[in-house]
Amino acid sequence: MALNLLMIGPPGAGKGTQAERFARTRGIPKISTGDILREAVHTGTEIGLRAKAIMDRGELVNDEVMIGIVSERLDRDDAVNGFVLDGFPRTVAQASALDAIMTGHDPLIVIDIVVPEAELVRRLATRMICESCGANAPIGDGTTTCVRCGGRLVQRTDDSEAVVRERLKVYHSQSEPLVEYYRERPTFRSIDGAQPPDKVAADLVAAIESTGAGAVAVGKRTGRSGHTGVQP
């Protein structure tokens, strides 16, 4: 059974870090919309050229193009045993399109990482990024060097509390309907992202196991988990 995992959560929840960690340990690709968008533009595919034309005009890439790029990426051989999707879908329309893409495939497991707003503000206000490649550093691990390229990490200058709160406000208005779209599915789980990273990682595995859909893929028994950090 393929392990098809979608991680959602607000900025600062740590979903990117957890997605990368989980994908690496399971030997499946972590698919970030930012990464595949840049790759599509760089390789000059038909849909990548369409995306480049949109971005060159200073506009946001629309749903049609973004859905096409994601569909192309999920159709590659390295995703046949599963994937971890981070950053897509962002809207209910995109989620509906993803359902269509997944028709005939193993179930999509959806994990919502929940963190109180006060903690998100604290994390984002102290977030570090790489001055060379722009990658976000794992939150709270104290490192000063980028794990991706070895560049120096610096603090973002635009993460004032006011800006952070506005960003979270936009996220909630756009993404809460997305959570509701998935909430009633048997493969949806929420986990507490305000815990130490290792505890979040353990809860992520327990949440996947508890759905039954990913039990074979994570090498654990099928069944509901009694883990206190997992919320069905």
Side-chain angles (χ1 to χ4, degrees):
M1 176 182 287
L3 199 164
N4 303 320
L5 178 63
L6 166 62
M7 298 184 66
I8 58 179
K15 62 183 180 300
T17 299
Q18 291 294 336
E20 186 167 346
R21 175 175 178 170
F22 184 84
R24 184 173 61 250
T25 60
R26 302 300 166 181
I28 55 178
K30 178 209 170 203
I31 300 174
S32 162
T33 51
D35 290 342
I36 61 175
L37 183 59
R38 285 187 290 270
E39 181 185 358
V41 170
H42 178 72
T43 55
T45 64
E46 179 183 350
I47 202 161
L49 293 174
R50 290 175 61 191
K52 183 177 187 301
I54 293 170
M55 291 187 293
D56 285 348
R57 296 196 300 267
E59 301 172 4
L60 294 176
V61 176
N62 58 35
D63 279 357
E64 179 189 359
V65 172
M66 201 68 244
I67 290 164
I69 289 173
V70 170
S71 181
E72 283 186 352
R73 181 61 185 86
L74 294 183
D75 198 40
R76 292 189 193 173
D77 290 343
D78 68 341
V80 69
N81 292 321
F83 55 82
V84 182
L85 192 55
D86 173 28
F88 181 93
R90 293 183 183 273
T91 65
V92 170
Q94 291 180 356
S96 179
L98 180 59
D99 283 343
I101 293 170
M102 295 299 298
T103 300
H105 294 272
D106 288 314
L108 185 67
I109 300 171
V110 182
I111 304 295
D112 180 29
I113 301 183
V114 180
V115 179
E117 183 163 317
E119 173 63 10
L120 293 173
V121 172
R122 185 194 68 80
R123 290 180 180 184
L124 291 172
T126 58
R127 184 166 57 175
M128 307 289 281
I129 64 169
C130 176
E131 64 178 357
S132 298
C133 72
N136 288 319
I139 293 173
D141 71 352
T143 185
T144 59
T145 304
C146 177
V147 295
R148 178 181 294 179
C149 74
R152 187 169 68 97
L153 298 178
V154 296
Q155 189 166 359
R156 289 181 58 142
T157 58
D158 62 340
D159 275 341
S160 67
E161 181 173 339
V163 171
V164 166
R165 289 192 182 277
E166 181 60 28
R167 189 179 302 146
L168 292 174
K169 180 180 177 181
V170 170
Y171 169 81
H172 289 306
S173 66
Q174 293 180 343
S175 298
E176 283 183 357
L178 184 65
V179 173
E180 293 307 312
Y181 179 84
Y182 286 118
R183 187 181 298 279
E184 299 305 317
R185 298 192 182 191
T187 54
F188 174 90
R189 294 291 184 274
S190 292
I191 61 175
D192 179 4
Q195 307 173 98
D198 286 348
K199 183 65 164 57
V200 177
D203 282 358
L204 174 61
V205 172
I208 294 169
E209 180 193 12
S210 76
T211 69
V216 174
V218 299
K220 292 178 176 289
R221 293 181 302 160
T222 302
R224 293 296 298 271
S225 170
H227 204 294
T228 57
V230 178
Q231 304 172 27

